[in-house]
Amino acid sequence: MLAAIVAGVVVRCSRTRGAERGGLVIVVLAAAAAVATTACLAMPAREAVREREAFAVEVVADVSSSASVGKDGRLWFEAQSRSIESAKGTAAVSAPVRIGVEPAEGVDLGATIRVTGQMEATDPGERSAAVVFASEPEIVRPASGVFAVAAGARSAFIERATRLPEPGAGLLPGLAVGDTRAVSDALNDDMRTSGLSHLTAVSGANCAIVVAAAFWLVALCGGGRRLRVVVAALALAGFVVLVTPEPSVIRAAVMAGVAMFTVLLGRPSAGAGMLALCATGILVADPWLAATAGFALSVAASGALILLAPPLARGLARWMPQPLALAISVPLAAQLACGPIIALFAEQQSLVGIAANLLAAPAAPIATVIGLLACLAAPFPMLADLLAASAWLPAAWISVTATVSARLPLAQASLVPGIGSAVLVAVLSAALGIIVRGRRGTSGVGGRRGRWFSWTYRVAAVVLIVALSLGGAHLALQGPLAAMAAPSGWSIAACDVGQGDALLVRSEGEVALIDTGPEPGPLGDCLRSLGIDRIDLLVLTHFDLDHVGGADAVRGRVDAVLHGPVVEAEEQRILDGLGAGGAAVTEATAGMRGTLGASTWRVLWPLRESAVFPSGNDASVVMEVSGGGVPLSLYLGDLSAEAQRMLARNARLAGPYDVVKVAHHGSADQDPAIYETIRPAIAVFSAGIDNDYGHPRAETLDLLTAVGAHVLRTDRQGRILLGIDDGRIAVWTESDVGAPE
């Protein structure tokens, strides 16, 4: 009915002036109304789920997506609830929920499960109405039919692929069937940095590869255009079933299907209209996809390939052979269109994405197609092994490409996510697109329109020149010229890494780093600004994220590591990574001593095999450093007041100290007596701006001021440098905002 009304109105408008604009407005309003109607119809069920927030629940649900292991170690998947039982009673509710369970077998698409756990409502804009944190699931009914066959084929292929050597083994299931559970965190980060992460997700690229392979095979057999499209559609449908037809996969398949329909119609120019129609249909079916970055990126990338890639290829052809211009135009168009969207939520923009995609592009379809054949050949083990081994080589190439390109200087640029960054990236992308396209095509365009084209080109050139100049100056100051801007006499540095610790001690060219902050980026910037390439001694006081999260910034650049007690497997993995990079790893205990250049250090805490403080904040490594041009300094980690009292009773504190790194970023949990004993001349607080904890606390600042300490704070003054100048403590800070008199 709605379609008939819209069609009638559009026909009516076509007889009047401005028919195109009127018709477009009506279609847009009708689509918006349809989307709103779908959302309204789904609200009662979603509200019924939300009413059970914070309740212990028993949920019976049908699994509707593939499962992946999250950072918390749980197996996460989407499901459609059937019933929810809580203290409010049992209700038959059908709504999308996201469930996290202990790793278990049988959680496959199409299976019905029962879980017991805690339910938390999500924001209204999220696709899942609630998140359920559950224990081990009960399989009420296993997957059946084609879903069971697909699950078995995937499992057999993943087991076969992961028996192959690295690099490449863990990546192969992601390339072929979209299963990324075997991809390591390090490789996943490298894929993201190098702009290759779309290859491991089931994206439009994977679907396009399947479609292209089917087209080529039918064409090789002499089939016509219609037969090619039909076979490709069937191949795409089978691929969707194999990799699980969850919303993101269906979205990608629909986008790839746009190209097939334009070929069937014999009108490639209709691609934009077909894309708009498909995007509208997807939103009508599932309005919540409008709030997901994946949907926006899919539409933007597909639109860029249809509308932007051809003019970019023509522009690039002025400087290079046509085939190379076509190859470069595809990732360039996608990068220019997707960059502003990525800037809305990501803190980094890949600067090597185009080059990395060009290198990986030849290998991706080979790994995907042969990997799929290996998956389908599961009933024939010898053939499946041969195909998996053949697919391993291109997968290894992609893995190495991601790792090498991610390690290149300037592989990515850091941005603050948000509207401002998106606008900035959009302006730069538009300017680059205009310059690459060039003036070609404007010849013969005269009058006002010709002048507009000319001015647009000039403005784009100015924008790029200014951006390159500012970027080059920033890189020079952060790179080769960084060390020249820092004073040469520093011996202690408190890096500004946000809410976390990262302190450097230097004596006669040797450097110790005490903790690494929460992220690699800020620590890497600090090291570059001080001209430090290698760490002689790395001290990990304990394994909270704000103290070890930046360890990747120094992996492979450390000679020795001292660390606090290890409890969890993830903590051991951090140490194993540092050890693999060539560092000698040792657990620190009170009484250890050593030298750093001409200075000496000693460990004061934790006590060996302490049963009172076995791990965590109160088992933080506490160090004292003195001599060799280093002020007498004490680094208290994250000790609480109780642990501080034990430290004062068991260690021979050599106060008064010149410099003390105040415990736990200046939390309120401090022992006044220890600060009365050590009486620091300078108290350093390492904390982030506007952190949720209120660090440093006012009472702690008052405590240190009362014992005569000069307070220095990274949240107010940025990076802090300390040294000895003519027997006195010299202080250099990036800013004096909020500094005491």
Side-chain angles (χ1 to χ4, degrees), residues 325-348:
L326 289 171
I328 294 177
S329 67
V330 172
L332 178 59
Q335 185 79 17
L336 294 181
C338 295
I341 300 172
I342 294 172
L344 288 171
F345 59 87
E347 296 182 352
Q348 288 87 25

Side-chain angles (χ1 to χ4, degrees), residues 501 503 514-515 541-542 547 604-606 616-624 633-641 643-645 647-648 651 653 657 659-666 669-671 674-675 678-680 683-684 700 703-704:
D501 278 5
L503 296 104
I514 303 174
D515 289 330
T541 60
H542 60 297
H547 292 257
L604 307 179
W605 191 265
N617 287 352
D618 287 338
S620 295
V621 177
V622 176
M623 290 188 70
E624 176 191 277
S633 49
L634 181 65
Y635 306 88
L636 290 172
D638 274 3
L639 296 190
S640 67
Q644 291 170 24
R645 286 190 285 270
L647 170 67
L653 298 175
Y657 285 87
V659 179
V660 169
K661 199 290 294 185
V662 179
H664 205 180
H665 321 291
D669 192 10
Q670 308 286 341
D671 175 35
I674 194 172
Y675 292 103
I678 61 181
R679 303 192 69 83
V684 176
T700 305
L703 168 63
L704 271 299

Side-chain angles (χ1 to χ4, degrees), residues 52 55-58 83-92:
R52 287 158 174 78
F55 277 88
V57 296
E58 182 181 274
S83 65
I84 302 177
E85 181 179 350
S86 69
K88 299 185 69 172
T90 303

Side-chain angles (χ1 to χ4, degrees), residues 102-174:
E102 298 297 328
E105 297 294 330
V107 184
D108 300 315
L109 177 70
T112 302
I113 64 168
R114 179 183 287 109
V115 296
T116 302
Q118 189 81 9
M119 176 179 286
E120 293 184 8
T122 60
D123 294 333
E126 294 190 29
R127 187 177 184 278
S128 298
V131 176
V132 181
F133 298 87
S135 55
E136 187 173 349
E138 175 190 348
I139 308 299
V140 176
R141 181 177 61 82
S144 59
V146 293
F147 296 133
V149 174
R154 282 197 310 274
S155 298
F157 173 68
I158 293 168
E159 182 182 356
R160 179 171 285 108
T162 50
R163 292 200 300 263
L164 296 167
E166 293 289 356
L171 189 60
L172 183 54

Side-chain angles (χ1 to χ4, degrees), residues 9 75 157 171 196 198 293 306 394 478 481 504 515 584 646 679 715:
V9 175
L75 201 62
F157 173 68
L171 189 60
L196 298 177
H198 63 93
I306 294 171
Q478 292 292 322
L481 302 180
L504 294 156
D515 289 330
M646 288 282 290
R679 303 192 69 83
D715 62 329

Side-chain angles (χ1 to χ4, degrees), residues 347-373:
E347 296 182 352
Q348 288 87 25
Q349 285 274 328
S350 176
L351 301 181
V352 297
I354 296 173
N357 274 276
L358 283 173
L359 290 172
I366 299 174
T368 299
V369 172
I370 299 180
L372 280 173
L373 293 176

